[in-house]
Amino acid sequence: MLKLLQTTETWLRHPTVTKMISFGVIGIANAIIDFGVFSIAYQVLNIPIVPANVLAWMVAVSCSYVMNTMITFRAESGRVLRRKDYLVFAASGVLGMIANTATLLLLSSIMPVYAAKICAIFTAFVVNFAMSHFVVFRTKPRG
């Protein structure tokens, strides 16, 4: 048991793991935002599934950029919100939104829409973390 705790502690000290955990916690907040906006747009406003999903993504990606700039990637961003960085973040998020929408459309044909939406959010999380870590907030080479 002690060995497991030591291994876990060592693993958690790794900067990428710490970032993944932070990104995940922020991702949970954004998943709630995404799900809430999607639900209102789809159920209350009767917006079709794809436009409702895109609207939810637009709101969530904006919130995600702010929180990840201030928390997860604070060292890389200097906690400064920049239009250029937001546009790169949103552009990289398009891949996540495509994965999200494709998953939602595929799974909504075989399961309830809201269950499919939850699966779609998880799929987008994986894609978005990879894009944020390796593209948007990568450590700049020192020159």
Side-chain angles (χ1 to χ4, degrees):
M1 182 67 166
L2 181 60
K3 180 114 172 130
L4 176 63
L5 289 174
Q6 289 172 335
T7 303
T8 302
E9 184 179 310
T10 301
W11 189 72
L12 288 174
R13 275 189 258 151
H14 193 279
T16 302
V17 172
T18 303
K19 284 181 183 179
M20 286 179 77
I21 292 168
S22 175
F23 194 84
V25 170
I26 289 170
I28 291 168
N30 282 308
I32 293 167
I33 291 165
D34 186 338
F35 193 84
V37 172
F38 174 79
S39 297
I40 291 167
Y42 182 68
Q43 193 74 33
V44 177
L45 301 176
N46 294 316
I47 296 175
I49 197 168
V50 171
N53 198 51
V54 172
L55 175 64
W57 174 81
M58 289 171 56
V59 173
V61 78
S62 298
C63 294
S64 182
Y65 169 71
V66 171
M67 287 188 273
N68 279 299
T69 297
M70 297 300 170
I71 301 167
T72 307
F73 300 103
R74 65 187 172 276
E76 295 84 352
S77 70
R79 290 186 172 174
V80 176
L81 300 172
R82 295 177 185 89
R83 182 175 320 160
K84 179 184 173 205
D85 290 346
Y86 171 75
L87 294 174
V88 171
F89 184 82
S92 74
V94 168
L95 190 57
M97 194 254 314
I98 291 168
N100 181 306
T101 302
T103 302
L104 176 62
L105 286 173
L106 178 70
L107 294 180
S108 67
S109 66
I110 59 172
M111 64 175 57
V113 168
Y114 294 111
K117 179 62 179 169
I118 291 168
C119 294
I121 289 170
F122 178 75
T123 301
F125 167 81
V126 173
V127 172
N128 289 332
F129 178 78
M131 292 300 294
S132 291
H133 182 70
F134 295 112
V135 177
V136 180
F137 294 108
R138 73 182 180 278
T139 302
K140 311 288 188 267
R142 299 185 194 258

